[in-house]
Amino acid sequence: MKTICTLFFLLIAQLSVAQTAAADNRPSDAITFQPIPKGPDIYGFFEGRIPCEGIVPQLQLVTDKPCEKLKCRLELHRDPASSKPTTFKLRIVGAGEVKQQDGDSYRLLNMEGTWHTEKGMPGDAKAGLYVLEPATVNTKLYLWKGDDNVLFVLDNNKTFRTGNEYYSYTFNRIVPVPGK
């Protein structure tokens, strides 16, 4: 019995090791039926399913009640010559205007604006942030760059938002692929 317990605890310890970058760590493919923008100005595409709480009032979103999650796709553009950030497009399913499709309905909002980078957040003066400034709402959306493939949605104080057991405030880099 002692041997079984020891093996069990060793297995648990091995599984609890933090995730590390791997050579095959690459963005996931994401099927889309929308046109896929291409060109040297595309910095990247990110996707996430985030909780409504906190983000709905900040971005002044219209949603159904109750609102559990928003499905988001973020498209970041930059100047091809200087690589400086320029514009963004944020597609939010679950907020915005009601759309009809195949006898069903859903909400959709396409938000656009500009973005830039800045440094610093509480506890980490060197943290790399992406700051989205929507054209239609007087707010800033702060994203902490965890690495090249992960962005964390911060609150207005540049601190981490806490998700729930189903959804987190995380955007993961994706590679859009056309659906058939």
Side-chain angles (χ1 to χ4, degrees), residues 9-105:
F9 287 116
L10 286 172
L11 177 63
I12 294 298
Q14 183 68 25
L15 293 175
S16 66
V17 173
Q19 182 178 351
T20 58
D24 64 349
N25 186 14
R26 67 172 203 83
S28 300
D29 289 348
I31 295 173
T32 183
F33 294 97
Q34 305 296 317
I36 301 171
K38 296 187 184 326
D41 69 315
I42 300 293
Y43 174 69
F45 300 94
F46 297 83
E47 197 171 76
R49 286 169 177 73
I50 63 174
C52 293
E53 186 179 330
I55 206 78
V56 168
Q58 179 184 359
L59 295 179
Q60 301 171 21
L61 302 175
V62 175
T63 63
D64 292 330
K65 304 284 189 237
C67 178
E68 184 178 328
K69 71 169 181 338
L70 300 169
K71 182 178 178 183
C72 302
R73 180 168 288 176
L74 175 62
E75 180 182 312
L76 296 174
H77 295 259
R78 64 181 176 185
D79 180 273
S82 67
S83 294
K84 290 186 179 181
T86 56
T87 60
F88 76 87
K89 294 180 182 178
L90 180 61
R91 178 182 171 88
I92 305 172
V93 176
E97 295 181 25
V98 175
K99 303 288 184 178
Q100 301 292 326
Q101 181 179 352
D102 300 329
D104 205 358
S105 65

Side-chain angles (χ1 to χ4, degrees), residues 1 3 33 40 43 78 91 93 104 119 139-140 159 180:
M1 183 67 175
T3 303
F33 294 97
Y43 174 69
R78 64 181 176 185
R91 178 182 171 88
V93 176
D104 205 358
K119 293 282 186 194
T139 191
K140 294 179 180 180
T159 58
K180 297 177 182 175

Side-chain angles (χ1 to χ4, degrees), residues 121-122 144 152-155 157-163 169:
M121 60 187 280
W144 177 64
F152 296 95
V153 182
L154 305 177
D155 65 17
N157 298 316
K158 301 179 186 177
T159 58
F160 289 103
R161 293 179 187 264
T162 303
Y169 290 99

Side-chain angles (χ1 to χ4, degrees), residues 94-142:
E97 295 181 25
V98 175
K99 303 288 184 178
Q100 301 292 326
Q101 181 179 352
D102 300 329
D104 205 358
S105 65
Y106 65 99
R107 289 189 176 272
L108 176 65
L109 176 68
N110 289 304
M111 184 176 280
E112 297 183 4
T114 60
W115 70 288
H116 66 273
T117 60
E118 62 182 55
K119 293 282 186 194
M121 60 187 280
D124 187 355
K126 295 180 181 179
L129 302 181
Y130 294 173
V131 183
L132 307 184
E133 297 186 52
T136 56
V137 183
N138 188 21
T139 191
K140 294 179 180 180
L141 186 60
Y142 296 98

Side-chain angles (χ1 to χ4, degrees), residues 27-28 45-48 149-151 168 170-175:
S28 300
F45 300 94
F46 297 83
E47 197 171 76
N149 295 325
V150 180
L151 302 174
S168 66
T170 307
F171 290 155
N172 294 296
R173 186 180 291 271
I174 58 149
V175 176

